[in-house]
Coordinates of all heavy atoms in Angstrom, one line a residue:
M1 N 0.8 -1.2 0.0 CA 0.0 0.0 0.0 C 0.9 1.2 0.0 O 0.7 2.2 -0.8 CB -0.9 0.0 1.2 CG -1.7 1.2 1.5 SD -3.3 1.2 0.7 CE -3.9 -0.4 1.1
S2 N 1.9 1.3 0.9 CA 2.7 2.4 1.0 C 3.6 2.6 -0.3 O 4.0 3.6 -0.7 CB 3.6 2.4 2.2 OG 4.4 1.2 2.2
D3 N 3.9 1.4 -0.9 CA 4.6 1.4 -2.1 C 3.8 2.1 -3.2 O 4.4 2.9 -4.0 CB 5.0 0.0 -2.6 CG 6.0 -0.6 -1.6 OD1 6.7 0.1 -0.9 OD2 6.1 -1.9 -1.6
L4 N 2.5 1.8 -3.3 CA 1.7 2.5 -4.3 C 1.7 4.0 -4.1 O 1.8 4.8 -5.0 CB 0.2 2.0 -4.2 CG -0.1 0.7 -5.1 CD1 -1.5 0.3 -4.7 CD2 0.0 1.1 -6.5
V5 N 1.5 4.4 -2.8 CA 1.5 5.8 -2.6 C 2.8 6.5 -2.9 O 2.9 7.5 -3.5 CB 1.1 6.1 -1.1 CG1 1.1 7.6 -0.8 CG2 -0.3 5.5 -0.8
S6 N 3.9 5.8 -2.5 CA 5.2 6.4 -2.8 C 5.5 6.4 -4.3 O 6.2 7.2 -4.8 CB 6.3 5.6 -2.0 OG 6.3 4.3 -2.5
G7 N 4.9 5.4 -5.0 CA 5.1 5.3 -6.4 C 4.4 6.4 -7.2 O 4.7 6.7 -8.3
S8 N 3.4 7.1 -6.6 CA 2.7 8.2 -7.2 C 3.1 9.5 -6.7 O 2.4 10.4 -6.7 CB 1.2 8.0 -7.0 OG 0.9 8.0 -5.6
D9 N 4.5 9.6 -6.3 CA 5.0 10.9 -5.8 C 5.0 11.9 -7.0 O 5.2 11.5 -8.1 CB 6.4 10.7 -5.3 CG 6.3 10.0 -3.9 OD1 5.2 10.0 -3.3 OD2 7.4 9.5 -3.5
P10 N 4.8 13.2 -6.7 CA 4.8 14.1 -7.7 C 6.2 14.3 -8.3 O 7.2 14.1 -7.6 CB 4.3 15.4 -7.1 CG 4.6 15.2 -5.6 CD 4.5 13.8 -5.4
P11 N 6.4 14.7 -9.5 CA 7.7 14.9 -10.1 C 8.5 16.0 -9.3 O 7.9 16.9 -8.6 CB 7.4 15.3 -11.5 CG 6.0 14.8 -11.8 CD 5.3 14.9 -10.5
M12 N 9.8 16.0 -9.5 CA 10.6 17.0 -8.9 C 10.3 18.4 -9.4 O 10.4 19.4 -8.6 CB 12.1 16.7 -9.1 CG 12.6 15.4 -8.4 SD 12.3 15.5 -6.6 CE 13.5 16.8 -6.2
S13 N 9.9 18.5 -10.6 CA 9.6 19.8 -11.2 C 8.4 20.4 -10.5 O 8.3 21.6 -10.2 CB 9.3 19.8 -12.7 OG 8.2 18.9 -12.9
E14 N 7.4 19.6 -10.1 CA 6.2 20.1 -9.4 C 6.5 20.5 -8.0 O 6.0 21.4 -7.5 CB 5.1 19.0 -9.5 CG 4.5 18.8 -10.9 CD 3.4 17.7 -10.8 OE1 3.2 17.2 -9.7 OE2 2.8 17.5 -11.9
A15 N 7.4 19.7 -7.4 CA 7.8 20.0 -6.0 C 8.6 21.3 -6.0 O 8.4 22.1 -5.1 CB 8.7 18.9 -5.5
K16 N 9.4 21.5 -7.0 CA 10.1 22.8 -7.1 C 9.1 23.9 -7.4 O 9.4 25.1 -7.2 CB 11.2 22.7 -8.2 CG 12.3 21.8 -7.8 CD 13.3 21.7 -8.9 CE 14.5 20.7 -8.5 NZ 15.5 20.6 -9.6
G17 N 8.0 23.6 -8.0 CA 7.0 24.6 -8.4 C 6.2 25.2 -7.3 O 5.3 26.0 -7.5
G18 N 6.5 24.8 -6.1 CA 5.8 25.4 -5.0 C 4.9 24.4 -4.2 O 4.1 24.8 -3.4
F19 N 5.1 23.1 -4.3 CA 4.3 22.1 -3.5 C 4.8 22.2 -2.1 O 6.0 22.2 -1.8 CB 4.5 20.7 -4.1 CG 3.5 20.4 -5.2 CD1 3.6 21.0 -6.4 CD2 2.6 19.4 -5.0 CE1 2.7 20.7 -7.4 CE2 1.7 19.1 -6.0 CZ 1.8 19.7 -7.2
D20 N 3.8 22.1 -1.2 CA 4.1 22.0 0.3 C 4.3 20.5 0.6 O 3.4 19.7 0.6 CB 3.0 22.6 1.1 CG 3.4 22.8 2.5 OD1 4.4 22.2 2.9 OD2 2.7 23.4 3.3
A21 N 5.6 20.1 0.9 CA 5.9 18.7 1.2 C 5.1 18.2 2.4 O 4.6 17.1 2.4 CB 7.4 18.5 1.4
A22 N 5.0 19.0 3.4 CA 4.3 18.6 4.6 C 2.8 18.4 4.3 O 2.2 17.4 4.8 CB 4.5 19.7 5.7
R23 N 2.2 19.2 3.5 CA 0.8 19.1 3.2 C 0.6 17.8 2.3 O -0.4 17.1 2.5 CB 0.3 20.3 2.4 CG -1.1 20.2 2.0 CD -1.6 21.5 1.4 NE -1.7 22.6 2.5 CZ -2.3 23.8 2.3 NH1 -2.8 24.1 1.1 NH2 -2.4 24.6 3.3
I24 N 1.5 17.6 1.4 CA 1.4 16.4 0.6 C 1.5 15.1 1.4 O 0.7 14.2 1.3 CB 2.5 16.4 -0.5 CG1 2.3 17.5 -1.5 CG2 2.5 15.1 -1.3 CD1 3.4 17.7 -2.5
Q25 N 2.4 15.1 2.4 CA 2.6 13.9 3.2 C 1.3 13.7 4.1 O 0.9 12.6 4.4 CB 3.8 14.0 4.1 CG 5.1 14.0 3.3 CD 5.3 12.7 2.6 OE1 4.9 11.6 3.0 NE2 5.9 12.8 1.4
E26 N 0.8 14.9 4.5 CA -0.5 14.8 5.3 C -1.6 14.2 4.5 O -2.4 13.4 5.0 CB -0.8 16.2 5.8 CG -2.0 16.3 6.8 CD -2.2 17.7 7.3 OE1 -1.4 18.6 7.0 OE2 -3.2 17.9 8.0
V27 N -1.8 14.7 3.3 CA -2.8 14.1 2.4 C -2.6 12.7 2.1 O -3.6 11.9 2.1 CB -2.8 15.0 1.1 CG1 -3.7 14.3 0.1 CG2 -3.3 16.4 1.3
K28 N -1.3 12.3 1.9 CA -1.0 10.9 1.6 C -1.4 10.0 2.8 O -2.1 8.9 2.7 CB 0.4 10.7 1.3 CG 0.8 11.2 0.0 CD 2.3 10.9 -0.3 CE 2.8 11.4 -1.6 NZ 4.2 11.2 -1.9
A29 N -1.1 10.4 4.0 CA -1.4 9.7 5.2 C -2.9 9.6 5.4 O -3.4 8.5 5.8 CB -0.7 10.4 6.4
W30 N -3.6 10.7 5.1 CA -5.1 10.6 5.3 C -5.7 9.6 4.3 O -6.6 8.9 4.6 CB -5.6 12.0 5.1 CG -7.1 12.0 5.2 CD1 -7.9 11.9 6.3 CD2 -8.0 12.2 4.1 NE1 -9.2 11.9 6.0 CE2 -9.3 12.1 4.6 CE3 -7.8 12.4 2.7 CZ2 -10.4 12.3 3.8 CZ3 -8.9 12.5 1.9 CH2 -10.2 12.4 2.4
L31 N -5.2 9.7 3.0 CA -5.7 8.8 2.0 C -5.5 7.3 2.4 O -6.3 6.4 2.2 CB -5.1 9.1 0.7 CG -5.5 10.4 0.0 CD1 -4.7 10.6 -1.3 CD2 -7.0 10.3 -0.4
V32 N -4.2 7.0 2.9 CA -3.9 5.6 3.3 C -4.8 5.2 4.4 O -5.4 4.1 4.4 CB -2.4 5.6 3.7 CG1 -2.1 4.2 4.4 CG2 -1.5 5.8 2.5
S33 N -5.1 6.0 5.4 CA -5.9 5.6 6.5 C -7.3 5.4 6.1 O -8.0 4.4 6.5 CB -5.9 6.7 7.6 OG -6.4 7.9 7.1

């Protein structure tokens, strides 16, 4: 399950474009739960 989520990480260009890593991890954790 966690592999699936980690496999769908956003590209580095999007992370550099202003993504909030903490917010993304929070959303991932909520989706997994």
Side-chain angles (χ1 to χ4, degrees):
M1 172 92 42
S2 58
D3 293 340
L4 268 174
V5 176
S6 61
S8 59
D9 287 343
M12 291 302 293
S13 59
E14 294 181 354
K16 293 178 180 178
F19 273 66
D20 189 350
R23 179 173 289 190
I24 295 174
Q25 293 301 325
E26 186 178 352
V27 169
K28 288 181 180 180
W30 177 74
L31 288 174
V32 170
S33 64

